[in-house]
């Protein structure tokens, strides 16, 4: 484990705070801002307040009990007191950095202020003011002309001109409504804002004074919460904030810096008795601390949303001050005498090495957040990282010259993936059988070849683990890879059939028709057709049913659907007919159109095949104890019988049928009785339909072709047959299988045969196949459907000359994959259920893409025009559309994006940058720039919503960096001195050469 870099912007800054009870000045060095180094300098008795010169070389304490001002040299490491000079009877407040580098001190008992030079050498000039001067304010930035003096006893504000010729003088004394101590002067020095209790009212008031007009009020006092204790202005002067001690709130109001007026304040609930408040230097948040609960609240200035730190930051906190860069805030706790450090920005907390000479380019985190994989593009290995101990594990060698680019881990941790662009492969990483991937477990690597020249880069895994999805930049495709072997089962309760005996798939493979014999008696109506829709990878939903009456069904068996999806045919095993159903459009319900019959009637029609145009129908027949195929023209009603094709005489069992996709060859599977010695006799026959003959010839025979007891069959393409073999339960038992027969060029002889196991106890019956290679086997015994998918299914998103898919992410509902296309300047939304692709034009050269939680949005990093595209994945008409394009000076050549698990942050890495940007997903504003390495290539948030961590691949640093993304967190307490009070920041320029 490596420690985080101490590359702190506040390396030379300091804090200074008075210690009332100990007569000390505390100076805290912020070189290491998490852990300030405290030095204590004794001053005179009861230092009530502190101020620092504009150049940071002097500090001043108002020594209440002895009537002096102590001048402290901050230019030395030991911070000696240079002198203590008379400043009235009971000095209680001080302000520095005035015109001519003057200093002004409030003398409460003397009803006056003292004006001194920067070094305190010349005698003080005393100026009478109102009764009980207790607080001072001047414009920030140095050379302020006016000092505003809050006179507590007579509820007035005196305006002192310290730049007047000769002695300083009071230009105005203005009454305010009620007791006050809270005041601030805007930058430029024209307007002062005074918070008072509001005489005779339960609420506070803010009065605006125009100092250039002798303190004239600007408008009426504005109501705020009860008992205002502290008031501050943002650095740009456009926001004002007042703590309401009596109403547990902070009032935030807009300010017009030109005319000084403030808008209607908005009260923001905070912890009880807020006593101090401050803006962060960038003005993005307001920090308020409670005196009684000891908790700190941060309020976003754009939304006014408060976040309160769970643990207290002190027993009796009395002050809060941000560090110079705003990443840390310091709370003075007078009860414990400590300075409490609170982190107010995300930060790098550590890293894990990926190996000497490595080049991690992408990272994937396990679903439990305990480990991660990193793709090392400089080797053939995937780095394994223990995120609990932040130590590297044993790398996983991929072998075969596979150099990984991207990595992904399935949610259930049953496998992981890595792309290898150079070898056009997806590497599948699996644990031992029955185990899940861990940081130290054994892993088997299997290379899954993709299309030649695929050049896969990005990879993502669907939430259910059914598919890995790759972005193939070389072939302009998205590949859906089934790493678990391409087989799953549609459960019986989804199919909803008693005895599934037939199956048909729509051309695109998204609609499945299952016929249900349902124990129908001869000559009786019975059975149904269940219609299922594929809703996602490996998931189906029952959509509708065609019942026996609507479909004129009688023990339905095999089905066939036309290529346009408008005609559906089903054999009626128990009444010797075929029902033809139709519809006008694919969204209409099915209706009965006609019955296909002949004389004499067909016997046990079972097998069925339909030409692609839906006009010619082939039906198997067992009339006369012979296996034949009847050919019908069904383009009109009634259907016309055209001819009979002989399959095999003496076989009283009708065969299953399949037609080649080009319609030129017809195949029949004949299931015969077993020979006396148990020898299998099943045969597959075929015929070239345009050849002029009417007799089929044997193509494949048992046992060599695994056609022991064939039932259904289907053609995947013009040279591949799928044959379902039921197997045999009695002795000698035969296993059921799916025979995959590859035909030679004649298409009537076997070139080779392979098999995939089926379960004979399920009684596999019929088969259907779609264009994408999906096969469905209806299991009559179990009421299920077994689905075989292609191991790799490429989905075309463009043409290689004009398309270069690069990155990919999948929505967390598994509905869409989003693919960035660098060449086409688009993001492709791919619906995984049916492979529909819709391109969304974004900016030029989109590299990274990420889907937000909930599946409604996606983000693309437009590398070519320094922007982030925000995509509504279901826009007008259900089409994706860009709804915003975020631009900012910090977004320069963005390369990758990722979204936090809770959806609140978008993490952006930019070209050759060692910092990650954290964009607010509601506005697109970069809220934080977090230094986290040397050249960050990609990010991976912890997948657990309650774990605020993000991991970043640092290609140059050869590490994966860890960033804690919380914007508020207690770091620790540094002992200062008992009764320490409000601190101020000492500008960094105050350091001497010896200290640097």
């Amino acid at each position: 484990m490596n420690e985080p870099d101490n590359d702190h912007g506040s390396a030379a800054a300091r804090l200074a705070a008075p210690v009332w009870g100990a007569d000390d000045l505390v100076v805290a060095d912020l070189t290491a801002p998490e852990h300030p180094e405290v030095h204590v300098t004794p001053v005179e008795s009861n230092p009530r307040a502190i101020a620092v010169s504009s150049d940071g070389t002097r500090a001043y304490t108002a020594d209440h009990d002895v009537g002096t001002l102590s001048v402290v040299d901050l230019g030395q490491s030991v911070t000696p007191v240079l002198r203590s000079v008379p400043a009235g009877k009971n000095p209680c407040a001080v302000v520095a950095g005035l015109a001519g580098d003057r200093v002004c001190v409030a003398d409460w008992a003397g009803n006056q202020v003292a004006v001194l030079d920067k070094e305190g050498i010349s005698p003080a000039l005393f100026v009478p003011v109102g009764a009980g001067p207790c607080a001072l304010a001047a414009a920030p930035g140095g050379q302020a002309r006016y000092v505003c003096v809050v006179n507590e006893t007579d509820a007035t504000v005196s305006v002192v001109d310290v730049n007047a010729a000769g002695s300083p003088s009071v230009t105005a004394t203005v009454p305010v409504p009620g007791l006050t101590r809270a005041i601030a002067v805007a930058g430029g020095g024209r307007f002062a804002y005074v918070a008072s209790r509001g005489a005779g009212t339960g609420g506070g008031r803010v009065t605006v004074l125009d100092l250039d007009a002798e303190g004239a009020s600007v408008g009426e006092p504005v109501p705020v919460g009860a008992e205002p204790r502290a008031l501050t202005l943002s650095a740009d002067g456009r926001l004002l904030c007042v703590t309401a001690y009596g109403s547990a709130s902070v009032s935030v109001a807009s300010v017009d810096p030109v005319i000084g007026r403030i808008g209607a304040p908005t009260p923001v609930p905070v912890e009880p008795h807020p006593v101090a408040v401050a803006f962060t230097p960038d003005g993005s948040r307001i920090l308020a601390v409670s005196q009684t609960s000891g908790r700190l609240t941060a309020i976003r200035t754009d939304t006014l949303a408060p976040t309160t730190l769970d643990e207290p930051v002190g027993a009796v906190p009395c002050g809060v001050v941000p560090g110079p860069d705003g990443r840390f805030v310091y709370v003075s706790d007078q009860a414990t005498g400590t300075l409490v450090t609170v982190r107010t920005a995300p930060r790098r907390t550590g890293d894990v090495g990926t190996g000497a000479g490595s080049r991690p380019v992408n990272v994937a985190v396990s679903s439990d957040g305990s480990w991660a994989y990193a793709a090392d593009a400089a080797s053939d290995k995937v780095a394994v990282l223990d995120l609990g101990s932040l130590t590297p594990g044993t790398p996983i060698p991929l072998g075969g010259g596979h150099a990984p680019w991207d990595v992904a881990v399935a949610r259930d941790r049953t496998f992981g993936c890595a792309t290898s662009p150079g070898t056009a492969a997806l590497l599948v990483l699996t644990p031992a059988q029955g185990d899940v991937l861990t940081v130290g477990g054994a892993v088997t690597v299997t290379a899954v070849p993709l299309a030649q020249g695929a050049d896969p880069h990005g990879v993502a895994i669907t939430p259910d683990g059914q598919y890995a999805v790759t972005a193939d930049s070389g072939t302009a495709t998205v590949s859906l890879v089934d790493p678990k072997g391409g087989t799953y089962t549609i459960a019986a309760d989804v199919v909803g059939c008693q005895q599934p005996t037939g199956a048909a798939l729509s051309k695109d493979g998204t609609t499945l028709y299952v016929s249900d014999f349902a124990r129908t008696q001869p000559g009786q109506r019975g059975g149904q057709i269940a219609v299922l829709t594929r809703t996602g990878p490996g998931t189906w939903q029952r959509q509708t049913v065609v019942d026996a009456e609507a479909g004129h069904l009688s023990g339905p068996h095999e089905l066939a659907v036309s290529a346009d999806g408008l005609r559906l045919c089903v054999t009626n095993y128990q009444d010797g007919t075929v029902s033809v159903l139709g519809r006008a459009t694919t969204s209409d319900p099915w209706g009965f159109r006609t019955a296909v019959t002949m004389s004499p009637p067909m016997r046990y029609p079972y097998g069925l095949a339909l030409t692609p145009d839906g006009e010619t129908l082939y039906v198997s027949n067992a009339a006369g104890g012979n296996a034949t195929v009847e050919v019908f023209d069904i383009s009109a009603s009634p259907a016309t019988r055209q001819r009979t094709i002989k399959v095999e005489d003496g076989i009283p069992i009708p065969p299953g049928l399949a037609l080649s996709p080009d319609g030129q060859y017809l195949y029949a599977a004949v299931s015969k009785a077993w020979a006396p010695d148990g020898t299998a006799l099943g045969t597959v026959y075929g015929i070239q339909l345009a050849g002029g003959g009417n007799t089929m010839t044997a193509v494949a025979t048992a046992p060599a072709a695994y056609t022991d007891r064939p039932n259904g069959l289907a053609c995947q393409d013009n040279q591949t047959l799928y044959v379902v073999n039921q197997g045999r339960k009695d002795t000698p038992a035969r296993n059921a299988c799916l025979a995959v027969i590859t035909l030679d060029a004649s298409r009537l002889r076997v070139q080779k045969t392979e098999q995939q196991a089926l379960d004979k106890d399920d009684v596999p019956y019929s088969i259907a196949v779609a264009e994408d290679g999906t096969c469905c086997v209806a299991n009559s015994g179990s009421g299920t459907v077994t689905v075989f998918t292609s191991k790799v299914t490429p989905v075309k998103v463009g043409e290689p000359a004009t398309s270069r898919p690069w990155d990919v992410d999948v929505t967390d509902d598994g509905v869409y994959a989003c693919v960035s296309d660098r060449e086409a300047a688009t993001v492709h939304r791919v619906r995984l259920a049916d492979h529909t692709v819709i391109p969304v034009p974004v900016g030029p050269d989109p590299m990274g893409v990420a889907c937000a939680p909930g599946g409604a949005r996606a983000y693309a990093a437009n590398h070519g025009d320094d922007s982030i595209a925000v995509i509504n994945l279901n826009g007008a008409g259900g089409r994706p559309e860009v709804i915003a394009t975020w631009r900012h000076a910090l977004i320069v050549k963005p390369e990758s994006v990722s979204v936090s698990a809770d959806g609140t942050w978008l993490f952006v890495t930019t070209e050759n940058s060692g910092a990650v940007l954290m964009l607010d997903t509601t506005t697109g504003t970069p809220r934080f720039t977090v230094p986290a390495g040397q050249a960050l290539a990609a990010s991976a948030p912890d997948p657990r919503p309650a774990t605020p961590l993000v991991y970043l691949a640092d290609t140059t640093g050869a590490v994966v960096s860890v960033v804690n993304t919380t914007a508020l967190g207690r770091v620790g307490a540094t002992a200062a001195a008992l009764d320490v009070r409000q601190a101020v920041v000492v500008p960094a320029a105050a350091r001497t050469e010896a200290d640097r």
Side-chain angles (χ1 to χ4, degrees), residues 684 699-701 704-707 713-714 717 719-723 725 738-744 749-755:
V684 174
V699 174
T701 58
Y706 306 115
T707 55
L713 78 165
D717 52 43
Q719 288 190 272
T720 307
L721 292 176
Y722 288 154
V723 183
N725 292 279
L738 177 64
V740 182
I741 300 173
T742 302
L743 303 173
D744 67 8
R749 290 190 298 270
V750 175
Q751 179 174 309
K752 67 174 182 176
T753 303
E754 299 173 324
Q755 64 172 326

Short mmCIF file of all heavy atoms in Angstrom, two decimals, residues 684 699-701 704-707 713-714 717 719-723 725 738-744 749-755:
data_model
loop_
_atom_site.label_atom_id
_atom_site.label_comp_id
_atom_site.label_asym_id
_atom_site.label_seq_id
_atom_site.Cartn_x
_atom_site.Cartn_y
_atom_site.Cartn_z
N VAL A 684 -33.00 -39.35 -40.64
CA VAL A 684 -33.36 -38.05 -41.19
C VAL A 684 -33.30 -38.16 -42.70
O VAL A 684 -32.29 -38.61 -43.27
CB VAL A 684 -32.41 -36.94 -40.69
CG1 VAL A 684 -32.72 -35.62 -41.39
CG2 VAL A 684 -32.54 -36.77 -39.18
N VAL A 699 -30.59 -39.09 -45.24
CA VAL A 699 -29.48 -38.16 -45.09
C VAL A 699 -28.60 -38.55 -43.91
O VAL A 699 -27.37 -38.59 -44.00
CB VAL A 699 -30.01 -36.72 -44.89
CG1 VAL A 699 -28.85 -35.76 -44.58
CG2 VAL A 699 -30.75 -36.26 -46.12
N ALA A 700 -29.23 -38.87 -42.78
CA ALA A 700 -28.48 -39.21 -41.56
C ALA A 700 -29.20 -40.34 -40.85
O ALA A 700 -30.43 -40.34 -40.75
CB ALA A 700 -28.38 -37.99 -40.64
N THR A 701 -28.42 -41.28 -40.35
CA THR A 701 -29.01 -42.44 -39.67
C THR A 701 -28.34 -42.65 -38.32
O THR A 701 -27.20 -42.23 -38.08
CB THR A 701 -28.85 -43.71 -40.52
OG1 THR A 701 -27.45 -43.92 -40.78
CG2 THR A 701 -29.59 -43.59 -41.83
N ALA A 704 -24.77 -43.24 -35.81
CA ALA A 704 -23.65 -42.35 -36.11
C ALA A 704 -24.06 -40.88 -36.03
O ALA A 704 -23.27 -40.03 -35.60
CB ALA A 704 -23.09 -42.68 -37.49
N ALA A 705 -25.28 -40.56 -36.42
CA ALA A 705 -25.72 -39.16 -36.49
C ALA A 705 -26.46 -38.74 -35.23
O ALA A 705 -27.04 -37.65 -35.21
CB ALA A 705 -26.59 -38.95 -37.71
N TYR A 706 -26.46 -39.58 -34.18
CA TYR A 706 -27.15 -39.28 -32.92
C TYR A 706 -28.65 -39.03 -33.15
O TYR A 706 -29.26 -38.18 -32.52
CB TYR A 706 -26.55 -38.04 -32.22
CG TYR A 706 -25.05 -38.15 -32.00
CD1 TYR A 706 -24.19 -37.27 -32.64
CD2 TYR A 706 -24.51 -39.13 -31.15
CE1 TYR A 706 -22.82 -37.37 -32.45
CE2 TYR A 706 -23.14 -39.22 -30.95
CZ TYR A 706 -22.29 -38.34 -31.61
OH TYR A 706 -20.95 -38.45 -31.42
N THR A 707 -29.22 -39.80 -34.09
CA THR A 707 -30.65 -39.67 -34.38
C THR A 707 -31.38 -40.91 -33.88
O THR A 707 -32.15 -41.53 -34.61
CB THR A 707 -30.87 -39.48 -35.89
OG1 THR A 707 -30.25 -40.57 -36.60
CG2 THR A 707 -30.31 -38.16 -36.35
N LEU A 713 -37.18 -31.25 -35.76
CA LEU A 713 -35.93 -30.80 -36.35
C LEU A 713 -36.12 -29.41 -36.92
O LEU A 713 -37.25 -28.95 -37.14
CB LEU A 713 -35.41 -31.77 -37.41
CG LEU A 713 -36.02 -31.78 -38.81
CD1 LEU A 713 -35.10 -32.53 -39.76
CD2 LEU A 713 -37.38 -32.44 -38.80
N ALA A 714 -35.00 -28.70 -37.14
CA ALA A 714 -35.04 -27.33 -37.65
C ALA A 714 -33.75 -27.06 -38.40
O ALA A 714 -32.72 -27.70 -38.16
CB ALA A 714 -35.20 -26.34 -36.51
N ASP A 717 -29.33 -22.85 -40.74
CA ASP A 717 -28.96 -22.22 -42.00
C ASP A 717 -29.09 -23.28 -43.07
O ASP A 717 -29.64 -24.36 -42.84
CB ASP A 717 -27.54 -21.64 -41.93
CG ASP A 717 -26.51 -22.65 -41.44
OD1 ASP A 717 -26.56 -23.82 -41.90
OD2 ASP A 717 -25.66 -22.29 -40.60
N GLN A 719 -27.06 -25.30 -44.31
CA GLN A 719 -26.24 -26.50 -44.21
C GLN A 719 -26.16 -27.05 -42.79
O GLN A 719 -25.31 -27.90 -42.52
CB GLN A 719 -24.82 -26.22 -44.73
CG GLN A 719 -24.79 -26.06 -46.25
CD GLN A 719 -23.38 -26.03 -46.81
OE1 GLN A 719 -22.78 -24.97 -46.89
NE2 GLN A 719 -22.87 -27.18 -47.18
N THR A 720 -27.04 -26.59 -41.90
CA THR A 720 -27.01 -27.08 -40.52
C THR A 720 -28.40 -27.50 -40.09
O THR A 720 -29.36 -26.72 -40.21
CB THR A 720 -26.48 -26.01 -39.55
OG1 THR A 720 -25.24 -25.53 -40.01
CG2 THR A 720 -26.32 -26.59 -38.15
N LEU A 721 -28.50 -28.75 -39.60
CA LEU A 721 -29.76 -29.28 -39.08
C LEU A 721 -29.64 -29.47 -37.57
O LEU A 721 -28.62 -29.95 -37.07
CB LEU A 721 -30.10 -30.64 -39.71
CG LEU A 721 -30.46 -30.68 -41.19
CD1 LEU A 721 -30.66 -32.13 -41.64
CD2 LEU A 721 -31.73 -29.88 -41.44
N TYR A 722 -30.70 -29.08 -36.85
CA TYR A 722 -30.83 -29.39 -35.43
C TYR A 722 -31.90 -30.48 -35.31
O TYR A 722 -33.03 -30.31 -35.81
CB TYR A 722 -31.27 -28.17 -34.63
CG TYR A 722 -30.22 -27.09 -34.47
CD1 TYR A 722 -30.60 -25.77 -34.27
CD2 TYR A 722 -28.86 -27.40 -34.52
CE1 TYR A 722 -29.65 -24.77 -34.09
CE2 TYR A 722 -27.91 -26.40 -34.35
CZ TYR A 722 -28.30 -25.10 -34.15
OH TYR A 722 -27.35 -24.11 -33.99
N VAL A 723 -31.57 -31.57 -34.65
CA VAL A 723 -32.50 -32.68 -34.51
C VAL A 723 -32.67 -33.01 -33.03
O VAL A 723 -31.68 -33.26 -32.32
CB VAL A 723 -32.01 -33.94 -35.26
CG1 VAL A 723 -33.05 -35.06 -35.16
CG2 VAL A 723 -31.71 -33.61 -36.71
N ASN A 725 -33.67 -35.47 -30.17
CA ASN A 725 -33.80 -36.91 -29.91
C ASN A 725 -34.29 -37.12 -28.49
O ASN A 725 -33.64 -36.69 -27.54
CB ASN A 725 -32.44 -37.60 -30.11
CG ASN A 725 -32.01 -37.57 -31.56
OD1 ASN A 725 -32.46 -38.39 -32.35
ND2 ASN A 725 -31.17 -36.60 -31.90
N LEU A 738 -29.55 -33.10 -28.41
CA LEU A 738 -29.77 -32.27 -29.58
C LEU A 738 -28.62 -32.54 -30.54
O LEU A 738 -27.46 -32.20 -30.23
CB LEU A 738 -29.82 -30.79 -29.21
CG LEU A 738 -29.99 -29.81 -30.37
CD1 LEU A 738 -31.33 -30.01 -31.06
CD2 LEU A 738 -29.85 -28.37 -29.89
N ALA A 739 -28.93 -33.19 -31.66
CA ALA A 739 -27.90 -33.47 -32.66
C ALA A 739 -27.76 -32.26 -33.58
O ALA A 739 -28.75 -31.74 -34.09
CB ALA A 739 -28.27 -34.70 -33.46
N VAL A 740 -26.53 -31.82 -33.76
CA VAL A 740 -26.23 -30.71 -34.66
C VAL A 740 -25.50 -31.31 -35.86
O VAL A 740 -24.35 -31.74 -35.76
CB VAL A 740 -25.37 -29.64 -33.97
CG1 VAL A 740 -25.13 -28.48 -34.93
CG2 VAL A 740 -26.04 -29.16 -32.70
N ILE A 741 -26.19 -31.36 -36.98
CA ILE A 741 -25.68 -32.04 -38.17
C ILE A 741 -25.25 -30.99 -39.19
O ILE A 741 -26.06 -30.15 -39.61
CB ILE A 741 -26.75 -32.96 -38.79
CG1 ILE A 741 -27.18 -34.03 -37.78
CG2 ILE A 741 -26.25 -33.59 -40.08
CD1 ILE A 741 -28.35 -34.87 -38.24
N THR A 742 -23.98 -31.05 -39.56
CA THR A 742 -23.46 -30.17 -40.62
C THR A 742 -23.47 -30.95 -41.93
O THR A 742 -22.90 -32.06 -42.01
CB THR A 742 -22.04 -29.70 -40.30
OG1 THR A 742 -22.05 -29.01 -39.05
CG2 THR A 742 -21.53 -28.76 -41.38
N LEU A 743 -24.12 -30.42 -42.96
CA LEU A 743 -24.24 -31.10 -44.25
C LEU A 743 -23.10 -30.69 -45.18
O LEU A 743 -22.53 -29.60 -45.05
CB LEU A 743 -25.57 -30.73 -44.89
CG LEU A 743 -26.83 -31.04 -44.05
CD1 LEU A 743 -28.06 -30.48 -44.74
CD2 LEU A 743 -26.96 -32.54 -43.83
N ASP A 744 -22.79 -31.54 -46.13
CA ASP A 744 -21.78 -31.20 -47.12
C ASP A 744 -22.41 -30.35 -48.22
O ASP A 744 -23.56 -29.92 -48.12
CB ASP A 744 -21.09 -32.45 -47.66
CG ASP A 744 -22.02 -33.33 -48.49
OD1 ASP A 744 -23.16 -32.88 -48.78
OD2 ASP A 744 -21.61 -34.45 -48.84
N ARG A 749 -26.00 -35.02 -47.59
CA ARG A 749 -25.10 -35.95 -46.93
C ARG A 749 -24.47 -35.26 -45.72
O ARG A 749 -24.30 -34.04 -45.70
CB ARG A 749 -23.99 -36.44 -47.89
CG ARG A 749 -24.50 -37.37 -48.97
CD ARG A 749 -23.33 -38.01 -49.74
NE ARG A 749 -22.53 -36.98 -50.41
CZ ARG A 749 -22.75 -36.55 -51.64
NH1 ARG A 749 -23.77 -37.04 -52.35
NH2 ARG A 749 -21.98 -35.64 -52.18
N VAL A 750 -24.08 -36.09 -44.72
CA VAL A 750 -23.55 -35.56 -43.47
C VAL A 750 -22.06 -35.31 -43.60
O VAL A 750 -21.31 -36.20 -44.06
CB VAL A 750 -23.82 -36.53 -42.30
CG1 VAL A 750 -23.16 -36.04 -41.03
CG2 VAL A 750 -25.32 -36.70 -42.10
N GLN A 751 -21.63 -34.14 -43.21
CA GLN A 751 -20.20 -33.86 -43.12
C GLN A 751 -19.68 -34.15 -41.72
O GLN A 751 -18.66 -34.79 -41.54
CB GLN A 751 -19.94 -32.40 -43.48
CG GLN A 751 -18.47 -31.99 -43.41
CD GLN A 751 -18.24 -30.58 -43.91
OE1 GLN A 751 -18.69 -30.23 -45.00
NE2 GLN A 751 -17.59 -29.76 -43.10
N LYS A 752 -20.41 -33.71 -40.69
CA LYS A 752 -20.06 -34.04 -39.31
C LYS A 752 -21.29 -33.86 -38.43
O LYS A 752 -22.26 -33.18 -38.80
CB LYS A 752 -18.93 -33.16 -38.79
CG LYS A 752 -19.27 -31.69 -38.61
CD LYS A 752 -18.13 -30.93 -37.96
CE LYS A 752 -18.54 -29.46 -37.75
NZ LYS A 752 -17.48 -28.71 -37.03
N THR A 753 -21.24 -34.51 -37.27
CA THR A 753 -22.35 -34.43 -36.33
C THR A 753 -21.80 -34.21 -34.92
O THR A 753 -20.83 -34.86 -34.51
CB THR A 753 -23.19 -35.72 -36.34
OG1 THR A 753 -23.66 -35.96 -37.66
CG2 THR A 753 -24.39 -35.58 -35.40
N GLU A 754 -22.41 -33.28 -34.20
CA GLU A 754 -22.08 -33.04 -32.79
C GLU A 754 -23.37 -33.15 -31.98
O GLU A 754 -24.47 -33.17 -32.54
CB GLU A 754 -21.46 -31.65 -32.60
CG GLU A 754 -20.16 -31.47 -33.36
CD GLU A 754 -19.66 -30.03 -33.30
OE1 GLU A 754 -20.52 -29.12 -33.31
OE2 GLU A 754 -18.45 -29.82 -33.23
N GLN A 755 -23.24 -33.24 -30.67
CA GLN A 755 -24.44 -33.34 -29.86
C GLN A 755 -24.32 -32.50 -28.59
O GLN A 755 -23.22 -32.28 -28.08
CB GLN A 755 -24.73 -34.80 -29.49
CG GLN A 755 -23.65 -35.43 -28.62
CD GLN A 755 -24.06 -36.80 -28.11
OE1 GLN A 755 -25.24 -37.03 -27.84
NE2 GLN A 755 -23.11 -37.71 -27.99
#
